Amino acid sequence: MQTRRWSFFLAALLCTAAAQAAEPAVAPAEDRPLTEFPYTPSLDVPSMDRSADPCGDFYQYSCGGWMVHNPIPADQASWSVYGKLYQDNQRYLWGILDGLARQSAGRSGNQQKIGDYFAACMDVAAAEKLGRQPLDAALGQIAALKSRQALPALLAQLQLNSGDSGYFFSFGSNQDYGDATQVIAYADAGGLGLPERDYYVDKDAHTLKLRDQYRQHVTKVFGQLGDAPDVAARNAATVLRMETQLARASLKPVDRRDPYKLYHMYQRAAWRGLTPHFDWAAFFQPLGLAEAPAMNVAEPEFYAAFDGLLASTSLADLKTYLRWHAAHSAAPYLSKSFEDERFDFFDHTLRGVPQQKPRWKHCVAQVDNLLGEALGREFVDRAFAPPLKTSTLKMTTQIEQAMREDIEQLSWMSAATKRQAVGKLDTIVNKIGYPDRWRDYSGVDVRRDDHFGNVQRATAFEGRRQLAKIGKPLDRAEWGMTPPTVNAYYNPQMNDINFPAGVLQPPLYDPKLDDAPNYGNTGGTIGHELTHAFDDEGRQFNAAGNLKDWWTPADAAGFKERTQCIVDQYAKYVVVDDIHINSKLTLGEDIADLGGLILAHIAWRAQIANAHLEDRDGLNPEQRFFVGYAQWACNNERPENMRLHAKTDPHSPGRYRVNGLVVNMPEFAQAFACKVGQPMVSPKPCRVW
Ligand SMILES: [Zn+2]
């Protein structure tokens, strides 16, 4: 339920051949570490297009300048205010890590780990010298597989060392949907190489072509593992056939938004019936779960298909499938030829990215991913001043107060449901900046001369940390994002909203500017996360974080009627070509966007109630609130990436997160004197919260 999710695939090893030819003698500015953050105000006038009519296309009016001044960098699939800030954070972290990598004495335990991880990762010569060798251990284990009965133990090991859900399925821990105080084993679908099940099933020309390009990619990887061309092609066909069988039995992303479709508790006796050909006890044993806990099987139909696949597939084909996933999962950490091949399909073909990321980005992202709170602590010490925490916390409590008032005055909700809603609101925990207690990484062995080993050990450490939660009391203080992350989230089972330090910086939160753009931008984000507690998914969880209906039937019907207005509205918007927004997939985010900005506006009006406000840059305070909001969403995106997002991303494109929202706010029409009949004024505005 994250507000603005950005996927940063671990990719890149220096440059492609074409880029090398054009490489300048001096590194470009973005290829040097930052010691201070560049300042961009949260309302940036040059980023606007004042020639556009705000009542005709408010996104163009607010972001037209930004789109012209910020072409997509060659190593990115899209570019945005969030993406740019993330890159600034990365460059700042790069400076920290580079310093710690060079320092040999006086480092704390955590500083040794992140510094040496970074040093080992940056050692390109060592990776080249090793070539495929780090992969040989896993390939040897797969080759030695003697029978199907030995598969569960091997799978447990492969999954643990790689953290990869591509080995048939995904397994870990999660809060019990029925009792959020309990952490239980959680078995989910997985096993695919392509991003999502429809890539295996759809028959349109674009998907058929991508599928063929994927088959060619898998063939090339088998070639890299030493298979003769005809054998490699046959093996790729085997992988496609097996993955397609799993994909057909997997839920669509839109169905996975329904928590009831993901909740199926299985006790020990029931596992055998689910997968007669897969011995769960043998899978649990190497994971230290001999006690064989009860588990949630998110997608039973997927596991039935998995079992059918095991029963009908030869041992040789099972090994072929495992070899592919071993190579696929290890590619980012191997020598350049492996990374090049992975980039060529997964970034260039699938997302339209022309050029690989420089090595340092790859290495910073790995440290953030695997040792994130050790690195995050260094980041917070340098870049997140205590007054920032105080001021953003104040804004959060104001927006919660706005929601309380908003719920009380809703015309469509009964008093009984209102009481429940306010009760839930009152128990939401606000987490701002960074965790109160930092994660202990003392159990991770990080060596300066063993990058691949570091990846495996840190990955297995995290896997074991997740599994160790099963059956233990829940840690309510835990964070699901690292402090430098430029993003935020609401977790319905924890019933908490989380704003990492990385997202509370200019141009998103700007202590130098006045309230109007800050309440529009960061206030809108806080309201967005809060509204997730009451969107079509979040509303199904109660104050305790349990999946339990607390709505009267009439109020639930009233809610659905109001959200249908949003489903119908966003379904009309085109993402790219003739692909429309899948508005059932984006519904939760669209509800949160609208509710969030309405709440931020209420809180801002209360904040400035007695203040005398002046116009700035030819904009009155109301107008500055809305431009401040819109400018978080400025972005440019490659068409290939838009197609990928249309299938997988629960967020609408930035343009509609602005225009689709303001058409529903009479406050906006009033601010810019827009009239009914103009594009930015809906004749029948939608409103839920
Ligand atoms: Zn969201």
Side-chain angles (χ1 to χ4, degrees):
M1 295 212 183
Q2 301 160 10
T3 168
R4 292 137 190 188
R5 188 171 50 191
W6 305 95
S7 312
F8 294 99
F9 285 110
L10 299 178
L13 250 170
L14 300 172
C15 310
T16 58
Q20 271 168 350
E23 199 170 290
V26 179
E30 64 272 15
D31 251 355
R32 283 193 288 268
L34 281 180
T35 48
E36 268 174 61
F37 287 100
Y39 174 68
T40 311
S42 68
L43 195 167
D44 185 42
V45 174
S47 291
M48 298 172 67
D49 172 6
R50 309 283 291 254
S51 73
D53 176 6
C55 302
D57 183 346
F58 188 58
Y59 175 81
Q60 177 64 31
Y61 175 78
S62 303
C63 291
W66 192 96
M67 288 191 291
V68 172
H69 301 143
N70 293 279
I72 307 172
D75 66 350
Q76 303 287 334
S78 63
W79 201 226
S80 63
V81 170
Y82 268 52
K84 222 176 144 175
L85 178 55
Y86 175 73
Q87 182 166 284
D88 289 343
N89 284 357
Q90 275 206 312
R91 288 175 62 199
Y92 190 80
L93 297 171
W94 180 17
I96 295 173
L97 289 169
D98 193 50
L100 290 172
R102 288 169 201 279
Q103 190 182 333
S104 54
R107 296 183 298 181
S108 70
N110 274 344
Q111 288 175 335
Q112 176 272 321
K113 288 183 203 304
I114 60 179
D116 287 352
Y117 187 108
F118 188 72
C121 181
M122 289 297 285
D123 191 347
V124 180
E128 282 312 303
K129 204 169 149 203
L130 289 170
R132 199 191 80 192
Q133 192 209 309
L135 185 55
D136 286 348
L139 293 177
Q141 285 178 305
I142 294 166
L145 185 68
K146 290 277 186 310
S147 68
R148 239 166 292 198
Q149 286 69 37
L151 178 68
L154 174 60
L155 263 190
Q157 206 57 56
L158 293 172
Q159 287 187 2
L160 191 67
N161 286 342
S162 67
D164 197 320
S165 63
Y167 289 107
F168 286 114
F169 60 87
S170 153
F171 183 79
S173 65
N174 203 30
Q175 284 169 270
D176 183 349
Y177 287 134
D179 178 359
T181 63
Q182 299 300 308
V183 182
I184 56 169
Y186 195 99
D188 209 338
L192 310 181
L194 286 165
E196 193 267 312
R197 50 103 62 204
D198 283 349
Y199 282 92
Y200 295 89
V201 179
D202 285 355
K203 294 195 164 64
D204 60 280
H206 188 78
T207 309
L208 287 175
K209 188 177 170 202
L210 266 181
R211 211 141 65 211
D212 191 51
Q213 288 166 315
Y214 176 60
R215 191 185 48 72
Q216 290 171 33
H217 165 68
V218 180
T219 305
K220 284 184 198 159
V221 171
F222 277 118
Q224 288 181 312
L225 298 186
D227 293 0
D230 58 325
V231 178
R234 217 163 44 236
N235 284 343
T238 299
V239 167
L240 259 291
R241 175 176 55 75
M242 292 175 67
E243 290 187 353
T244 304
Q245 245 174 293
L246 296 174
R248 281 187 197 286
S250 302
L251 288 178
K252 288 171 176 285
V254 68
D255 290 322
R256 289 183 59 87
R257 296 198 61 249
D258 179 352
Y260 287 98
K261 287 191 175 150
L262 301 177
Y263 188 35
H264 311 92
M265 288 299 286
Y266 278 73
Q267 305 302 325
R268 177 200 274 267
W271 301 336
R272 273 199 197 98
L274 179 70
T275 56
H277 298 90
F278 187 78
D279 181 357
W280 286 96
F283 176 77
F284 287 149
Q285 213 265 334
L287 299 178
L289 298 172
E291 290 302 308
M295 69 175 166
N296 180 37
V297 177
E299 298 191 25
E301 282 179 30
F302 169 87
Y303 278 90
F306 165 57
D307 192 69
L309 191 64
L310 289 185
S312 63
T313 305
S314 69
L315 186 63
D317 285 356
L318 290 176
K319 290 183 180 184
T320 296
Y321 171 90
L322 294 177
R323 280 176 77 221
W324 149 245
H325 279 283
H328 175 53
S329 148
Y333 317 108
L334 298 175
S335 54
K336 187 171 184 304
S337 60
F338 284 89
E339 179 49 33
D340 284 350
E341 184 49 46
R342 185 185 161 100
F343 169 84
D344 190 51
F345 178 74
F346 283 96
D347 293 287
H348 183 62
T349 302
L350 200 57
R351 307 177 141 247
V353 182
Q355 189 180 306
Q356 293 195 32
K357 288 189 178 73
R359 180 84 180 181
W360 70 264
K361 283 189 188 174
H362 184 62
C363 294
V364 169
Q366 283 181 37
V367 181
D368 184 36
N369 182 36
L370 292 172
L371 301 165
E373 290 195 10
L375 178 59
R377 199 168 175 172
E378 303 289 328
F379 179 81
V380 166
D381 283 349
R382 292 163 175 83
F384 193 66
L388 261 180
K389 185 157 178 162
T390 314
S391 57
T392 46
L393 188 59
K394 179 187 166 206
M395 191 186 271
T396 306
T397 52
Q398 285 175 324
I399 290 168
E400 284 165 345
Q401 179 56 26
M403 183 152 221
R404 213 164 279 121
E405 289 161 19
D406 174 67
I407 291 170
E408 302 290 0
Q409 58 79 44
L410 287 179
S411 59
W412 55 272
M413 190 183 264
S414 70
T417 308
K418 280 182 185 177
R419 257 196 313 281
Q420 296 281 337
V422 171
K424 177 170 180 178
L425 175 64
D426 286 342
T427 54
I428 290 177
V429 173
N430 303 322
K431 294 183 182 168
I432 312 276
Y434 53 91
D436 292 336
R437 196 176 62 249
W438 295 100
R439 193 164 295 162
D440 176 9
Y441 291 103
S442 55
V444 192
D445 176 19
V446 178
R447 299 175 202 167
R448 202 178 173 86
D449 59 353
D450 183 14
H451 179 227
F452 196 85
N454 291 340
V455 174
Q456 285 203 325
R457 286 187 294 273
T459 304
F461 171 82
E462 174 59 14
R464 290 200 185 281
R465 196 182 72 81
Q466 294 294 346
L467 295 174
K469 295 178 188 176
I470 296 171
K472 303 264 169 51
L474 175 70
D475 175 10
R476 288 209 171 267
E478 190 176 356
W479 279 64
M481 281 181 184
T482 65
T485 305
V486 185
N487 207 337
Y489 70 95
Y490 167 74
N491 180 337
Q493 291 212 266
M494 289 281 220
N495 200 23
D496 62 6
I497 49 177
N498 300 253
F499 304 94
V503 82
L504 300 172
Q505 299 178 78
L508 301 173
Y509 184 77
D510 184 354
K512 287 188 187 161
L513 273 196
D514 57 306
D515 288 332
N518 275 321
Y519 277 75
N521 191 326
T522 294
T525 303
I526 295 169
H528 173 106
E529 298 310 336
L530 208 52
T531 307
H532 270 316
F534 304 94
D535 72 14
D536 61 321
E537 196 173 346
R539 79 172 186 90
Q540 301 186 70
F541 294 84
N542 67 9
N546 300 331
L547 187 56
K548 191 156 188 289
D549 191 2
W550 46 272
W551 294 62
T552 66
D555 290 332
F559 178 87
K560 280 184 187 145
E561 191 189 316
R562 276 156 185 82
T563 55
Q564 188 61 42
C565 177
I566 292 180
V567 172
D568 295 342
Q569 179 198 343
Y570 281 78
K572 296 197 182 91
Y573 298 140
V574 172
V575 181
V576 62
D577 306 333
D578 59 348
I579 304 172
H580 285 242
I581 291 180
N582 178 354
S583 61
K584 288 201 172 108
L585 178 62
T586 63
L587 178 58
E589 298 299 333
D590 298 332
I591 294 171
D593 280 342
L594 177 58
L597 198 62
I598 289 172
L599 295 179
H601 192 262
I602 297 170
W604 174 62
R605 293 299 313 179
Q607 164 76 6
I608 58 162
N610 298 312
H612 172 72
L613 301 176
E614 291 179 352
D615 294 2
R616 290 165 82 157
D617 306 311
L619 297 168
N620 68 35
E622 288 280 347
Q623 293 171 335
R624 297 179 74 251
F625 173 90
F626 285 103
V627 175
Y629 168 74
Q631 285 194 337
W632 81 258
C634 302
N635 76 103
N636 285 309
E637 188 165 8
R638 300 187 192 281
E640 293 87 346
N641 206 52
M642 289 183 196
R643 285 187 204 102
L644 175 70
H645 274 181
K647 276 190 200 281
T648 58
D649 193 343
H651 302 87
S652 293
R655 172 177 296 274
Y656 303 112
R657 296 187 71 174
V658 173
N659 288 354
L661 187 166
V662 296
V663 298
N664 290 323
M665 281 186 74
E667 299 89 339
F668 168 81
Q670 204 180 351
F672 286 92
C674 304
K675 306 273 182 307
V676 178
Q678 290 187 286
M680 291 297 102
V681 183
S682 170
K684 280 174 71 183
C686 304
R687 171 127 192 207
V688 184
W689 295 103

